[in-house]
Structure formats: C-alpha cells, structure tokens
Amino acid sequence: MTAFAPAASGEQIIVDAVSRLGLLPVMRTAIGAWWRRPRLPQPLPDSLRADFGLSSPPVIHYPSCPAEIRFHYR
C-alpha cells in the first residue's frame, strides 16, 4: 500500500522554494510571471462587433457614495 503525502499549501510551496533557491530568484520568478500575465483584450470597434453579431458593450456605471454614509472630517 502506498502512502500519499498531504497536499502542500501555497505558503509551504513558497517557503520551500525560498529555502532551496533563495529569496531573490523566487522574487524574480514571481515578478516575471506577473509581468507576463495575460492581459484583458482591447475593446472591439463597433464595426467589428457588428460583423460578428455582437451587441454593444455594456456600460458600467459606478454609483456614487450616498451623502449619509460619507465620512465627515472635523
């Protein structure tokens, strides 16, 4: 019968990598992965949206904070 080791958490994996490789290589790898992360695509022009039969993009309105819950500073 084979015994399986419990799954390591993200923190344990990072601690193990830092102890084996050092802080700077781990940070360099993390920053490099963040830099190469997938970006959101640019909005499509209306003519291209029409060619694909897509509706116009939704307009997102962010509500303002009501006056009664705004912070008042003295």
Side-chain angles (χ1 to χ4, degrees):
M1 185 158 50
T2 310
F4 292 101
S9 69
E11 292 175 3
Q12 291 173 340
I13 293 170
I14 293 170
V15 168
D16 182 47
V18 170
S19 66
R20 287 187 299 113
L21 303 172
L23 182 61
L24 291 179
V26 172
M27 290 298 294
R28 186 180 322 120
T29 302
I31 292 170
W34 174 81
W35 188 260
R36 292 184 302 273
R37 73 191 185 281
R39 304 296 200 277
L40 290 175
Q42 295 296 321
L44 293 175
D46 289 335
S47 60
L48 189 55
R49 284 185 157 282
D51 288 345
F52 284 105
L54 300 173
S55 61
S56 60
V59 178
I60 301 172
H61 297 284
Y62 295 102
S64 61
C65 184
E68 60 270 7
I69 62 171
R70 288 190 183 143
F71 296 103
H72 297 284
Y73 296 102
R74 297 177 188 223

